[in-house]
Amino acid sequence: MDLEAVRTFVAVAEAGQFQEAAAGLSVTQQAVSKRVAALEKELDVRLFTRTARGTRLTVDGQAFLPHAHELLRVAERADASVRPGRRALRVDVVNRRITTAWLVQDFYRLHPEIELDVVTLDTDVEGAVAAVAAGTVDATFHAVPPRQHLPEAIGTARVVDEPHELLVGPRHPLAGARAVAPERLAGHRIRMPGLDGRGEVTDYYAEFTATFGVTIDAVGPLFGNEALLAEIAGSADLATLVGEGSRYLWPDSYDLRRIPVRGPAPVYPMSLIWRDDNPHPGLAALRDHLVARRTPPSEADDLWFPTWNRRPAPRP
């Protein structure tokens, strides 16, 4: 169905005159008549009757009018869904409980005028880059090892350097520690079910365990964060690692402890990933916000990064 003919029909119905509708549409009266005639032919009904004062909707015209309005609204929504600046900025935060989620939430608090569509893609950096390249999302957060192939149109900027914390129950031997060095984790079971054998996260923990002699127990499926927290709360030997900025809730009866890992502090680096040719104004605002708020670690900080870590200069 010709949307211009539908739009013309609505204009005539609202104006009550072909001439006035033509003026509002900036076309000739003859063009209006032709569009309405074509629509009537397509629908095989008469939409208007002429009167001494102009035009009046027929019964069929009255029945068609609300559907015509809906057609135009749908067309407007479809147009807005793909037009930068009019559609929502689609951002993959990876997991709604980790630092990236509250970073985007903080951005939204400062820029409520920018509509956001926050999603979580279950993929590694390779899949996330492909999603950005394909336009599935406007931006995502992942660690980007130097070996990672990036298409020419893809831009990245380091925006997160997140230290770890040890999460333990009240009966764990380290429950009373104010901080713990990575070497002290040797001999303790670090429970991380669901950690698969691919991707940059697995590579990070593989190097972490090799460096500090830590054992990660990844056996079995992940039944959700709540199940893992309950398991740790009831155990005297299980623990897990969480990001310093991650957000988890548990019942007071669990009495879980979050203990900073220091001396050195293992740091997981994450970058914002986007397409350079993406013109969405919200993307530029998000990138500027994240780059401005990041405080790069100094050389004096006692930190541990994986050997594949790199620190690209932020791109304006």
Side-chain angles (χ1 to χ4, degrees):
M1 186 171 291
D2 185 352
L3 287 177
E4 282 306 313
V6 174
R7 187 171 288 108
T8 302
F9 160 75
V10 171
V12 174
E14 292 177 346
Q17 292 182 344
F18 277 64
Q19 184 175 358
E20 187 175 338
L25 294 171
S26 300
V27 297
T28 65
Q29 185 173 339
Q30 183 181 17
V32 170
S33 298
K34 286 184 176 180
R35 291 178 186 176
V36 171
L39 185 60
E40 288 179 325
K41 183 177 181 180
E42 181 176 1
L43 297 173
D44 196 23
V45 296
R46 288 193 63 189
L47 298 172
F48 295 103
T49 58
R50 291 186 178 273
T51 68
R53 297 184 177 181
T55 58
R56 185 177 66 224
L57 285 168
T58 64
V59 173
D60 290 321
Q62 293 174 21
F64 181 63
L65 183 59
H67 299 289
H69 280 294
E70 183 60 24
L71 282 170
L72 297 179
R73 282 193 292 268
V74 170
E76 175 66 21
R77 289 196 296 271
D79 179 71
S81 71
V82 295
R83 193 177 297 277
R86 297 181 62 187
R87 64 170 175 80
L89 180 69
R90 191 172 175 84
V91 181
D92 166 36
V93 296
V94 183
N95 185 312
R96 297 181 191 276
R97 297 181 185 270
I98 65 175
T99 296
T100 52
W102 68 257
L103 284 175
V104 174
Q105 183 180 18
D106 180 58
F107 166 75
Y108 182 67
R109 288 194 187 103
L110 295 175
H111 299 278
E113 75 284 357
I114 297 178
E115 186 179 358
L116 289 178
D117 182 10
V118 177
V119 301
T120 56
L121 301 180
D122 183 18
T123 186
D124 58 9
V125 63
E126 184 173 348
V129 168
V132 172
T136 305
V137 294
D138 294 299
T140 184
F141 295 87
H142 278 270
V144 184
R147 70 174 188 281
Q148 180 64 45
H149 169 71
L150 296 175
E152 187 175 347
I154 297 297
T156 68
R158 265 276 285 286
V159 294
V160 177
D161 293 297
E162 184 171 41
H164 287 63
E165 291 180 336
L166 186 72
L167 184 64
V168 299
R171 295 187 295 125
H172 194 279
L174 298 175
R178 299 185 63 180
V180 59
E183 290 87 351
R184 290 189 62 191
L185 301 181
H188 296 283
R189 284 176 61 201
I190 308 300
R191 188 85 172 102
M192 300 185 75
L195 184 67
D196 59 25
R198 63 182 175 85
E200 72 281 8
V201 176
T202 299
D203 291 348
Y204 172 87
Y205 282 110
E207 186 172 344
F208 174 79
T209 57
T211 301
F212 298 107
V214 178
T215 300
I216 289 183
D217 177 7
V219 176
L222 175 63
F223 290 102
N225 292 307
E226 290 74 14
L228 178 59
L229 296 178
E231 187 180 8
I232 291 173
S235 172
D237 65 339
L238 291 183
T240 194
L241 290 168
V242 297
E244 183 181 68
S246 59
R247 299 181 290 191
Y248 297 93
L249 297 175
W250 55 79
D252 290 341
S253 59
Y254 284 11
D255 195 20
L256 297 180
R257 322 289 173 83
R258 296 181 67 143
I259 305 168
V261 181
R262 298 174 183 162
V267 174
Y268 189 78
M270 297 185 76
S271 296
L272 183 71
I273 304 170
W274 70 90
R275 278 185 67 107
D276 281 329
D277 57 358
N278 187 333
H280 198 299
L283 176 60
L286 175 64
R287 186 172 68 243
D288 292 345
H289 170 80
L290 294 174
V291 169
R293 70 166 302 283
R294 175 181 177 247
T295 302
S298 70
E299 297 299 326
D301 294 331
D302 188 11
L303 306 175
W304 178 86
F305 288 93
T307 54
W308 51 254
N309 170 65
R310 66 175 179 181
R311 304 182 185 180
R315 298 169 65 170

